[in-house]
Amino acid sequence: MVNMSIKNNFNISNSNKHYLIFAGTTEGRMLIEQLLTSPNIQITACTATEYGKVLLPSSDRLTISSKRLDEQQMISLMQNNNFNAVIDTTHPYAVIVSENIKKSADITGIPYIRLLRPKQMINDLENVKFVSSIEEAISYLSSTTENILSTIGSKELAKLCEISDYKERIFARILPLPDMVKQCFDMGFTGKHLICMQGPFSEELNTALIHQFNIKYTLTKDSGKLGGFIEKVNSAKNTNTILVVIGRPKVEQGFSYDEVIKMLL
């Protein structure tokens, strides 16, 4: 959903521009790479982890902060720099983070731009089960007995411990970060039940994991095209397994990748 009033009123006249980009997603990395092709653009990028930092390009016009910021820290960062705009490219499920970014931009009077990750349309719903929340997903999966491949990351993995026999049934796919691995180990996800890989993943790889671990249910979020969502849909269909999809928490206003590029360049 696009807020056209923001788009129509947004104007950057300075020849030299300094953008604050909250990254950590594929779109964020792509946006930074494309903006850096313009010699008059300087970027400060914020990622939540060191891992997100190493995925970004190297440039003398790019400054990277790799720690989680609360609202007050965001406000301080914006007040202490002359940013032309704040661009929010965080994950569509990172609701609180996005709210803090927008609130901080409003307080400091800096134009706020939300880059939206489009939803993926699904034509064949035979192998797809939609749920509204992680709690509903747990309730549904608790009524089953077969193996589960979790692709929702590590943040909400602790909630899946409510599922009976989770240590035997659940195979968790997470980012290969030492802190995350330790947390998952402490929760009981060990050995072959912990898959540490950087996505997004191909249909072939999803299918191989389903066969390897005798998976019947794949738990995911609607991560869109760049998040490898359609590959999960196709692998579920081709393996006759069920894709359990946690719906997006809210409808957002914002702009497509191409619209954001046009606005900023």
Side-chain angles (χ1 to χ4, degrees):
M1 185 175 182
V2 176
N3 188 332
M4 295 305 297
S5 63
I6 296 177
K7 184 177 182 182
N8 293 335
N9 293 329
F10 184 78
N11 180 37
I12 296 177
S13 56
N14 296 356
S15 57
N16 294 315
K17 308 177 183 74
H18 189 182
Y19 296 134
L20 173 60
I21 299 179
F22 286 86
T25 58
T26 302
E27 295 95 322
R29 176 180 54 76
M30 291 170 54
L31 181 66
I32 289 169
E33 290 175 348
Q34 189 158 354
L35 290 177
L36 285 175
T37 62
S38 177
N40 65 328
I41 290 179
Q42 180 180 348
I43 297 171
T44 296
C46 294
T47 66
T49 65
E50 281 288 331
Y51 191 76
K53 177 180 179 178
V54 301
L55 296 177
L56 296 180
S58 176
S59 170
D60 57 3
R61 289 183 287 111
L62 174 62
T63 302
I64 305 174
S65 170
S66 58
K67 65 177 183 178
R68 296 183 187 275
L69 303 179
D70 59 26
E71 182 184 336
Q72 192 54 53
Q73 289 171 321
M74 292 179 186
I75 292 172
S76 178
L77 176 63
M78 294 178 195
Q79 288 176 334
N80 293 329
N81 293 273
N82 188 27
F83 295 122
N84 296 94
V86 176
I87 303 94
D88 178 5
T89 72
T90 58
H91 199 278
Y93 289 79
V95 176
I96 295 177
V97 175
S98 273
E99 289 176 350
N100 286 341
I101 297 170
K102 186 178 188 307
K103 194 182 302 181
S104 301
D106 290 342
I107 289 173
T108 55
I110 303 174
Y112 169 86
I113 302 171
R114 174 58 167 153
L115 193 158
L116 296 179
R117 175 178 286 186
K119 291 186 176 182
Q120 187 77 48
M121 299 301 295
I122 306 174
N123 296 322
D124 188 354
L125 301 179
E126 183 177 349
N127 290 78
V128 181
K129 167 70 175 178
F130 287 98
V131 294
S132 61
S133 64
I134 182 66
E135 289 76 18
E136 187 178 344
I138 291 170
S139 177
Y140 171 73
L141 292 170
S142 293
S143 66
T144 67
T145 58
E146 295 93 340
N147 287 349
I148 302 163
L149 174 63
S150 171
T151 67
I152 63 172
S154 63
K155 188 174 181 180
E156 295 183 299
L157 200 57
K159 295 180 181 180
L160 297 184
C161 298
E162 299 175 22
I163 297 175
S164 178
D165 299 328
Y166 76 92
K167 292 182 181 180
E168 289 73 38
R169 293 183 57 200
I170 297 179
F171 296 79
R173 192 166 72 188
I174 66 169
L175 287 172
L177 299 175
D179 290 345
M180 290 185 181
V181 172
K182 184 181 184 307
Q183 291 170 13
C184 292
F185 258 70
D186 292 342
M187 286 185 278
F189 296 95
T190 60
K192 64 182 181 181
H193 290 269
L194 192 58
I195 306 164
C196 302
M197 304 177 72
Q198 161 71 29
F201 303 96
S202 66
E203 178 184 333
E204 291 78 11
L205 182 51
N206 289 328
T207 299
L209 291 176
I210 288 171
H211 288 316
Q212 176 72 24
F213 301 118
N214 194 27
I215 300 297
K216 181 61 179 178
Y217 301 93
T218 298
L219 179 62
T220 185
K221 296 176 179 178
D222 179 4
S223 53
K225 181 178 180 180
L226 291 178
F229 183 66
I230 194 62
E231 285 78 7
K232 295 175 187 175
V233 173
N234 291 337
S235 63
K237 181 179 179 181
N238 294 334
T239 57
N240 195 30
T241 56
I242 304 298
L243 189 69
V244 182
V245 182
I246 303 172
R248 295 191 179 183
K250 63 183 292 186
V251 176
E252 293 186 290
Q253 289 187 331
F255 306 95
S256 70
Y257 180 86
D258 290 340
E259 287 175 321
V260 171
I261 285 294
K262 289 179 182 178
M263 294 167 69
L264 299 181
L265 289 178

